[in-house]
Amino acid sequence: MSVADTILKALRCERDRCACTITHERGQGLTHCPNTTGHQHADADPSLSATDRDGKLLLSCKSGCTNDQVIVALRERGLWGTKASGGKQEVARYRYVDRQGQHLFDVIRYEPKDFRQQAADGSWSLRNVEPVIYRLDEVIPAIERGETIWIVEGEKDVDALRGLGIVATCNPMGAGKWVDRYAADFVGATVVVVADRDEPGRQHAKAIARSLSVVAKSIRVIEMPGAHDVSEWIATARSGRGGLDDLVAKAPEWEGGDAKVILTAKELVDEYRGTLDRRRKHDPDEIGWPTGFFEFDVIPVRYRPRDLWLVVSATGVGKTTFLLTLMHLAKIPSLFVTMEQPRVQLMDRTIASMTKVNSAFLAKGDITDEQMARVDRALTKLSGEPMYMVDQPGLTTDALDPIVRAARARFGVRLVFVDYAQKMADKYGESEYQRVTRISNNLARMASATGVCIIAATQVSRKYRSSFGSKEDRHEGDPPRLSDIRDSGYLEQDASVVLAIGRAEDSNQAKVAIRKNRHGLTGPVITFWFDGEHNRFVAMQHEAEEKERPYL
């Protein structure tokens, strides 16, 4: 018998024709809530739902009792303590709401220690739910009143502080899960960030402080002396709120932000003088890096730190090949993020471009000994290149951000190629337009925050191909326009550079138009030779010499 069946049987009353009898017989439905103090007439009309789902016990009182109240009442009756299937038992449920107090989702704590998230509708997926901070409906009015907001690592700590009359919050799912969008709720706030006494806790607190540094009025970061976290300190220190206030008073203002928000005129001038000096010395962090295509570099179209590029084309034109060509020519540390093609297929394309061995033959292993020798030389050369790859279908921008930061810190990555933007798995809003807008905004913020240049492929809308031969005088093979970008005009707005590729079906000539360039000319259309057999783009004036280029 499951835990839910045990509870339904025990809470069944003796009245004939009561709904609880049918519930017990069917194993589902409503029974009497054991929290009798929360109901008139001892919950004469059953209001408690108890079900087992995915090995977890789910409780819900339709009359408004909290799960904590129901659990206390079940424990008093000896009905709480038997472990659910899977060996885990729910011990706490933390309710997350929006600014108006509307229920969004719960974070559920189990023993042995584990956490899961459940949407307000009872589903175990938050795909269409925007995560928020805990007790958001209390935090916002407290900021407006000028109260200090405490940010801790977990919900248990929040509730412990709340018992002392302190307004506190945390992000869902603990350390390492803070995202910058939470900072929007702390504009003008006075904040105390409490770090757990371990390295993940300290890094988590530092990330929060850095994120809030551009919006908060004041930030202090503290640790609890003699205790791992604030709950332990409250339980053992016996000095109450006064002791906490003393700790905050002794803590200095946090000054670890990446940059000042408001600069004086003198600071602006001094900073600009330094920028000009570095530009005159051709510092790539200021003037960017060449693409390797002379036709782009003279315009100039260069990779610059903190820029977002878009490479736009219809399906089958060669977006992925163009990204790989750009990465191969760049000769600086680069990360390729693929969400469409497996890394083995991308390696086929890369080796084909280096060796002139047909990628289709590589995919089948149908190559001669002489070709294999070329492949070996290419692999040896490639193994020493500053190239890195992430093959992760279903990746979100929130998940990509720490990957980019790690690649930047560990390997000095300066270019990040994303194939492709609409394949990212972010779920937001009710429309594809809202979802892609979020992806675009996050990619632009990621480039700015990490100092890399992000080059993202993106698709065109369906109207692009249907416009050929129309009154607009558009022909097959013409590069897309900015208005052809699929799903979101924000992609074009967020981008610093937009390159649009057009190629007629079965043609080996591709036109690349510079549709947007914040740092130089727009409008030029450059013709490339598309070598589909060997997965390469080559400028047309170099076509003849490339065809004669010796094998590797």
Side-chain angles (χ1 to χ4, degrees):
M1 182 180 293
S2 70
V3 176
D5 289 337
T6 300
I7 291 174
L8 294 177
K9 179 179 180 181
L11 296 180
R12 177 183 174 185
C13 72
E14 301 299 327
R15 290 185 292 133
D16 293 335
R17 299 182 180 179
C18 181
C20 70
T21 301
I22 299 175
T23 294
H24 172 57
E25 292 172 352
R26 293 181 176 176
Q28 61 181 5
L30 298 177
T31 191
H32 302 281
C33 179
N35 180 36
T36 55
T37 58
H39 301 268
Q40 292 183 343
H41 311 298
D43 195 28
D45 295 321
S47 64
L48 178 70
S49 170
T51 58
D52 282 306
R53 184 181 297 171
D54 298 335
K56 305 294 188 297
L57 175 63
L58 307 182
L59 299 171
S60 177
C61 178
K62 309 305 179 184
S63 295
C65 296
T66 67
N67 274 8
D68 287 341
Q69 291 172 326
V70 174
I71 290 171
V72 168
L74 289 173
R75 186 176 287 117
E76 291 174 349
R77 295 188 178 209
L79 297 174
W80 191 260
T82 303
K83 293 186 176 180
S85 60
K88 294 185 179 181
Q89 174 181 292
E90 179 181 329
V91 294
R93 180 179 288 258
Y94 304 104
R95 186 183 183 95
Y96 279 71
V97 300
D98 62 17
R99 288 176 175 238
Q100 289 73 44
Q102 183 70 33
H103 186 199
L104 297 177
F105 63 95
D106 294 330
V107 170
I108 308 169
R109 181 185 179 113
Y110 298 95
E111 289 295 344
K113 190 175 181 180
D114 190 18
F115 294 88
R116 290 191 70 186
Q117 294 172 301
Q118 184 181 32
D121 63 5
S123 68
W124 293 102
S125 171
L126 299 189
R127 291 175 60 185
N128 297 314
V129 179
E130 177 72 1
V132 296
I133 58 173
Y134 187 41
R135 299 196 177 277
L136 176 61
D137 58 332
E138 296 178 4
V139 170
I140 298 302
I143 293 174
E144 294 172 351
R145 295 192 300 267
E147 296 183 33
T148 297
I149 308 300
W150 289 56
I151 304 179
V152 291
E153 190 169 306
E155 295 88 356
K156 181 180 177 181
D157 293 339
V158 171
D159 291 347
L161 288 169
R162 194 165 177 258
L164 298 178
I166 294 173
V167 179
T169 187
C170 66
N171 58 270
M173 304 309 286
K177 301 298 183 181
W178 178 272
V179 293
D180 285 339
R181 66 173 174 271
Y182 297 144
D185 296 319
F186 294 88
V187 176
T190 299
V191 176
V192 174
V193 182
V194 182
D196 280 8
R197 289 176 65 88
D198 53 32
E199 191 56 29
R202 295 183 182 102
Q203 291 300 320
H204 180 62
K206 184 178 180 181
I208 294 172
R210 184 185 296 113
S211 177
L212 298 184
S213 64
V214 297
V215 296
K217 178 182 177 182
S218 168
I219 303 171
R220 286 180 166 83
V221 179
I222 65 173
E223 292 185 16
M224 309 312 298
H228 177 73
D229 54 32
V230 72
S231 294
E232 182 180 328
W233 189 89
I234 291 172
T236 59
R238 296 190 178 90
S239 55
R241 178 159 186 172
L244 292 173
D245 291 340
D246 289 342
L247 289 174
V248 174
K250 295 175 183 177
E253 282 275 345
W254 190 79
E255 296 181 350
D258 293 331
K260 286 184 63 176
V261 178
I262 301 176
L263 302 177
T264 66
K266 184 178 185 307
E267 289 170 331
L268 284 170
V269 169
D270 290 344
E271 179 185 64
Y272 187 65
R273 286 185 187 277
T275 299
L276 280 178
D277 184 56
R278 291 189 295 275
R279 286 175 178 172
R280 294 183 67 193
K281 295 176 181 178
H282 303 288
D283 183 346
D285 282 334
E286 295 294 343
I287 65 171
W289 305 274
T291 64
F293 279 125
F294 174 80
E295 296 75 12
F296 287 152
D297 297 336
V298 296
I299 290 178
V301 176
R302 297 169 66 90
Y303 302 120
R304 294 176 185 265
R306 302 175 184 83
D307 273 3
L308 171 63
W309 285 31
L310 298 181
V311 175
V312 186
S313 80
T315 301
V317 169
K319 290 188 299 295
T320 301
T321 296
F322 193 73
L323 291 189
L324 289 170
T325 301
L326 289 175
M327 182 175 68
H328 187 64
L329 291 174
K331 305 301 182 184
I332 58 176
S334 303
L335 175 69
F336 198 99
V337 181
T338 176
M339 288 158 286
E340 184 176 34
Q341 295 192 29
R343 56 185 178 271
V344 171
Q345 293 182 16
L346 296 181
M347 285 295 293
D348 285 340
R349 290 172 175 241
T350 300
I351 297 303
S353 70
M354 296 175 68
T355 62
K356 292 187 177 180
V357 175
N358 191 307
S359 57
F361 296 162
L362 287 169
K364 294 185 296 182
D366 188 13
I367 55 178
T368 66
D369 290 343
E370 186 273 333
Q371 290 173 327
M372 188 63 219
R374 275 189 267 155
V375 170
D376 279 336
R377 290 195 293 272
L379 290 172
T380 299
K381 180 180 179 181
L382 189 63
S383 65
E385 294 290 322
M387 181 189 80
Y388 308 91
M389 188 172 291
V390 172
D391 177 6
Q392 191 67 53
L395 197 65
T396 65
T397 51
D398 285 343
L400 178 60
D401 185 272
I403 292 173
V404 171
R405 291 178 186 273
R408 178 81 170 86
R410 292 180 59 194
F411 307 117
V413 162
R414 305 311 302 266
L415 304 181
V416 177
F417 296 87
V418 177
D419 188 25
Y420 58 93
Q422 285 93 344
K423 273 287 186 179
M424 303 210 74
D426 296 53
K427 301 295 181 184
Y428 183 71
E430 298 179 353
S431 69
E432 185 67 3
Y433 177 90
Q434 291 174 308
R435 190 184 78 84
V436 176
T437 294
R438 172 189 171 87
I439 292 171
S440 172
N441 293 163
N442 285 354
L443 288 175
R445 281 197 295 265
M446 194 185 307
S448 178
T450 60
V452 303
C453 178
I454 295 179
I455 305 95
T458 183
Q459 289 187 327
V460 295
S461 62
R462 294 175 182 173
K463 67 179 182 180
Y464 165 66
R465 290 192 185 277
S466 64
S467 67
F468 296 154
S470 68
K471 295 179 180 179
E472 300 179 41
D473 193 30
R474 303 181 73 177
H475 306 283
E476 185 180 5
D478 286 349
R481 301 170 183 172
L482 293 178
S483 58
D484 293 319
I485 297 176
R486 179 179 169 185
D487 297 321
S488 175
Y490 276 94
L491 279 165
E492 177 266 322
Q493 292 179 35
D494 289 331
S496 296
V497 174
V498 178
L499 303 179
I501 309 173
R503 183 173 64 85
E505 189 174 355
D506 298 327
S507 172
N508 64 355
Q509 288 193 10
K511 299 176 183 177
V512 179
I514 302 170
R515 295 302 191 197
K516 182 177 181 181
N517 180 15
R518 286 180 179 163
H519 310 295
L521 295 175
T522 59
V525 177
I526 303 168
T527 303
F528 285 83
W529 170 49
F530 174 69
D531 181 3
E533 184 178 341
H534 303 125
N535 294 278
R536 296 182 301 160
F537 277 83
V538 180
M540 283 300 291
Q541 57 264 46
H542 302 303
E543 176 188 2
E545 60 190 79
E546 275 296 311
K547 287 182 177 179
E548 298 301 322
R549 178 173 63 87
Y551 296 140
L552 185 69

